[in-house]
Amino acid sequence: MVTGPSGVGKGTLIARLKERVDGLTTSTSVTTRAPRPGETEGDDYFFLTEEEFLEKVERGEFLEHASYSGHLYGTLRSEVEEKAGSSRGVILEIELQGARQIRTSMPEAVQVFIAPPDFAVLRERLEARGTDAPEEIEARLEVASGELAARDEFTHQVMNEDLDLAAEQLEAIVRGELQQSS
Ligand code: 5GP
């Protein structure tokens, strides 16, 4: 699983990782937030209403789930099980509360925390991404300071200052773990 504050570059690093290491797949999460322009159902997320999401919680369908910046996010057991059967590894891109749940329920999961070089960089990246309203950016930055304080909980940490270097480090971590588990 890959965690770290919003805007730190988790998505970009995971895309690079999948280009570099064969056989990895990403788990598509469920969310109650609205799709951003260009996002597609089943690819970026499964977009559900809060009611539909809570029904899945009741039925125990989630491996983990969390409330983040006013919306619900979760990883479906069925999604991970299905993708695990046909790949060398399933990547979860999740925020801190969910990562903590996975650490408890699946201690064998490889844990990677992506950190920014400093806080100002997060703001710049969230603003440059242009996908969130100013108040949404502020909310994400507030959550980010708590998330950064938790970085030492994770076995592996990658500092995303230079994208190429960070991608190399993430690749080395994953290759090392795949080798150990084979
Ligand atoms: P965004 O709204 O920017 O797509 O995602 C907001 C945050 O939720 C990001 O930190 C992202 O990694 C996290 N996230 C995405 N999917 C999940 C999930 O299934 N579970 C949890 N706990 N967090 C998720």
Side-chain angles (χ1 to χ4, degrees), residues 69-160:
S69 192
H71 303 291
L72 301 171
Y73 294 81
T75 304
L76 290 170
R77 262 175 226 288
S78 56
E79 170 77 4
V80 173
E81 278 165 13
E82 190 184 305
K83 289 192 168 165
S86 56
S87 69
R88 286 172 81 195
V90 184
I91 307 168
L92 309 186
E93 184 206 321
I94 56 181
E95 53 66 71
L96 178 64
Q97 302 163 67
R100 285 178 168 153
Q101 294 169 41
I102 295 290
R103 202 170 50 212
T104 307
S105 62
M106 301 174 71
E108 71 284 7
V110 180
Q111 309 165 33
V112 185
F113 188 97
I114 313 287
D118 61 52
F119 204 74
V121 164
L122 278 186
R123 177 181 293 277
E124 277 166 29
R125 288 193 190 151
L126 285 172
E127 285 172 356
R129 192 159 81 175
T131 47
D132 299 304
E135 56 279 12
E136 177 70 18
I137 292 179
E138 292 312 318
R140 281 165 184 254
L141 287 172
E142 211 172 292
V143 176
S145 61
E147 292 190 311
L148 284 177
R151 58 197 281 176
D152 291 337
E153 291 176 18
F154 294 84
T155 327
H156 302 285
Q157 293 174 25
V158 172
M159 159 91 79
N160 187 13

Side-chain angles (χ1 to χ4, degrees), residues 54-63 75-78:
L54 293 175
E55 276 170 19
K56 289 191 180 297
V57 174
E58 283 285 302
R59 291 201 293 261
E61 291 185 31
F62 288 111
L63 263 184
T75 304
L76 290 170
R77 262 175 226 288
S78 56

Side-chain angles (χ1 to χ4, degrees), residues 157-171:
Q157 293 174 25
V158 172
M159 159 91 79
N160 187 13
E161 182 162 20
D162 176 289
L163 183 63
D164 290 333
L165 197 65
E168 259 171 48
Q169 286 173 354
L170 183 59
E171 178 186 354

